[in-house]
């Protein structure tokens, strides 16, 4: 049995960006969150923790490259995620007004699509899907971050069981001043580093959840538009032409539908402008993370292998969600074009026919989240997996 908030019976308005809202509100970065003084101070504190963590991890990894490559990679692999998380945090803060505007506008448009069971079915399907997938991402990230702390604790417990001293290190390999790695300050340092890992997770969940959520909500708008076009152009008797008054009404309604289609395209363009840095950085960094994780899996044993297997799976889930969201928009556009062309548009006046064919032509220009060099889709994911397989084979041959 799934929790109620992961089912279609949960209120639709509460499904809307539920997991990204929960995640980003924890660190004070949700765009619709009221920016009180306490929230601003809390968000700055989390920004400082994440920023210093990136510096400390990178310094540790670079320092150990010439000493022990396995230890260096153990620090450099998570620092890639930390830096990417910092990029996402800064981007969410920088574009908070635009994100707030997009969230409110898409909410308004989707709330209008409840006039039929079909439209409500579209909303339930994709709203629930967005919540489930972003919750899966949250679980994967939580398990990945927690596994680092569990590994460190288990290693030290085993050391104590064999009569050895406790190693005063942090879950993520970082450089700290010596007083912070000794009692009585060590537990505080440990907790802050552990929280640094969770800040990384919630930034990923927030940014990736926005991308997936907007893609699925745009898909709902396109499917509802497809239903409205089919219902409007439906003709009971193809041999009998509609009256002039009926044609005038259809023209007015068709103009509204064209405006809706144009607005969805405009919203997609606005989303591309907001998400371009996040998405491009994500795909570039993910390739580095997967590569170093595979090398770490080959170098480590025991709990280290489990940690990096979980890590690699979490990164794979993130890439899959980006590509899945992009594919849903593309498929919805293609289905809109096919459905509109298959309607009874030829039974109406010449003006309606022209408007219909223009919508078909517009829908055939598939909406995509435009990122330099590529667009996220399942085809892109297939190419990434093939390339990753080649890297794994190369790493095995070298090591």
């Amino acid at each position: 049995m799934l929790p109620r908030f992961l089912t279609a019976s949960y209120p639709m308005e509460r499904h809307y960006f539920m997991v990204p809202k929960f995640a980003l509100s924890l660190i004070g970065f949700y765009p619709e969150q009221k920016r009180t003084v306490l929230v601003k101070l809390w968000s700055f504190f989390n920004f400082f923790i994440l920023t210093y963590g990136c510096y400390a991890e990178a310094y540790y990894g670079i320092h150990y490259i010439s000493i022990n490559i396995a230890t260096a990679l153990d620090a450099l692999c998570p620092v890639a995620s930390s830096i990417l998380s910092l990029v996402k945090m800064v981007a969410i803060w920088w574009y908070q007004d635009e994100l707030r505007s997009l969230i409110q506008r898409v909410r308004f448009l989707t709330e209008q699509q409840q006039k039929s069971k079909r439209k409500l079915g579209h909303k339930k399907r994709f709203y629930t899907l967005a919540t489930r997938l972003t919750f899966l991402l949250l679980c994967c990230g939580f398990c990945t971050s927690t596994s680092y702390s569990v590994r460190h604790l288990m290693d030290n417990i085993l050391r104590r069981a064999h009569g050895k001293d406790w190693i005063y290190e942090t879950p993520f390999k970082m450089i700290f001043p010596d007083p912070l790695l000794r009692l009585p300050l060590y537990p505080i340092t440990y907790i802050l580093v552990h929280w640094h890992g969770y800040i990384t997770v919630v930034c990923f969940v927030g940014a990736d959840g926005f991308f997936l959520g907007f893609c699925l909500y745009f898909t709902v708008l396109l499917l509802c538009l497809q239903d409205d076009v089919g219902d409007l152009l439906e003709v009971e008797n193809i041999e009998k032409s509609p009256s002039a008054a009926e044609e005038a009404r259809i023209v007015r309604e068709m103009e509204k539908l064209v405006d809706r289609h144009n607005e969805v395209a405009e919203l997609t363009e606005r989303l591309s402008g907001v998400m371009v840095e996040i998405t491009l950085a994500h795909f570039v960094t993910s390739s580095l993370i997967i590569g170093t994780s595979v090398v770490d899996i080959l170098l480590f044993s025991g709990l280290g292998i489990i940690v990096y297997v979980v890590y690699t799976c979490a990164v794979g889930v993130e890439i899959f969600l980006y590509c899945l969201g992009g594919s849903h928009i593309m498929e919805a556009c293609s289905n809109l074009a096919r459905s509109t062309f298959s309607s009874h548009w030829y039974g109406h006046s010449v003006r309606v026919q022209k408007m219909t064919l223009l919508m078909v032509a517009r829908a055939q220009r598939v909406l995509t989240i435009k990122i330099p060099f590529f667009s996220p889709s399942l085809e892109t994911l297939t190419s990434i997996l093939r390339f990753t397989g080649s890297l794994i084979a190369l790493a095995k041959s070298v090591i």
Side-chain angles (χ1 to χ4, degrees), residues 90-318:
V90 172
I92 290 171
W93 173 79
W94 183 263
Y95 293 113
Q96 59 181 318
D97 293 334
E98 181 70 2
L99 283 170
R100 187 186 307 113
S101 175
L102 283 169
I103 291 170
Q104 294 172 352
R105 186 56 186 169
V106 173
R107 180 192 287 119
F108 174 77
L109 293 175
T110 53
E111 285 176 349
Q112 292 182 321
Q113 310 305 318
Q114 296 184 9
K115 299 178 181 179
S116 67
K117 290 185 177 180
R118 282 183 301 173
K119 291 183 178 181
L120 188 57
H122 296 324
K123 288 190 66 176
K124 285 184 176 181
R125 175 189 170 192
F126 286 100
Y127 273 47
T128 306
L129 180 62
T131 302
R132 288 176 178 176
L133 291 177
T134 49
F135 182 72
L136 172 64
L137 179 60
L138 177 62
C139 291
C140 289
F142 178 82
C143 292
T144 301
S145 182
T146 304
S147 65
Y148 275 89
S149 296
V150 171
R151 180 186 66 168
H152 180 263
L153 291 173
M154 291 299 297
D155 286 343
N156 276 295
I157 290 172
L158 292 174
R159 286 180 60 85
R160 295 293 295 174
H162 289 83
K164 298 180 180 179
D165 294 332
W166 186 284
I167 297 179
Y168 288 96
E169 287 186 340
T170 52
F172 299 94
K173 306 294 186 183
M174 296 183 183
I175 291 289
F176 283 101
D178 290 339
L180 295 179
L181 295 178
R182 293 198 299 262
L183 295 175
L185 297 179
Y186 175 69
I188 298 175
T189 305
Y190 195 95
I191 292 172
L192 290 176
V193 171
H194 190 69
W195 177 240
H196 156 86
Y198 288 144
I199 295 173
T200 301
V201 172
V202 297
C203 287
F204 270 86
V205 173
D208 300 353
F210 276 146
F211 184 93
L212 177 67
F214 277 121
C215 288
L216 296 183
Y217 302 148
F218 290 161
T219 301
V220 170
L221 295 176
L222 290 171
L223 291 175
C224 292
L225 179 63
Q226 174 184 324
D227 293 341
D228 288 341
V229 171
D231 293 341
L232 181 63
L233 298 179
E234 186 176 0
V235 177
E236 295 182 0
N237 187 354
I238 195 64
E239 296 179 357
K240 183 180 178 181
S241 300
S243 63
E246 181 66 14
E247 282 295 284
R249 184 191 69 82
I250 292 176
V251 168
R252 290 194 299 272
E253 294 298 321
M254 197 66 184
E255 288 174 347
K256 294 179 182 178
L257 295 179
V258 170
D259 290 340
R260 278 172 52 189
H261 190 203
N262 290 337
E263 183 169 12
V264 174
E266 180 187 351
L267 290 172
T268 306
E269 290 288 338
R270 289 173 60 186
L271 180 64
S272 296
V274 170
M275 300 298 295
V276 58
E277 294 91 351
I278 293 175
T279 309
L280 181 60
H282 183 92
F283 276 83
V284 172
T285 310
S286 294
S287 61
L288 298 175
I289 294 171
I290 292 175
T292 53
S293 294
V294 170
V295 174
D296 284 330
I297 290 172
L298 297 174
L299 292 176
F300 285 93
S301 61
L303 291 175
I305 294 178
I306 298 175
V307 169
Y308 284 102
V309 167
V310 174
Y311 199 167
T312 305
C313 291
V315 175
V317 170
E318 292 168 359

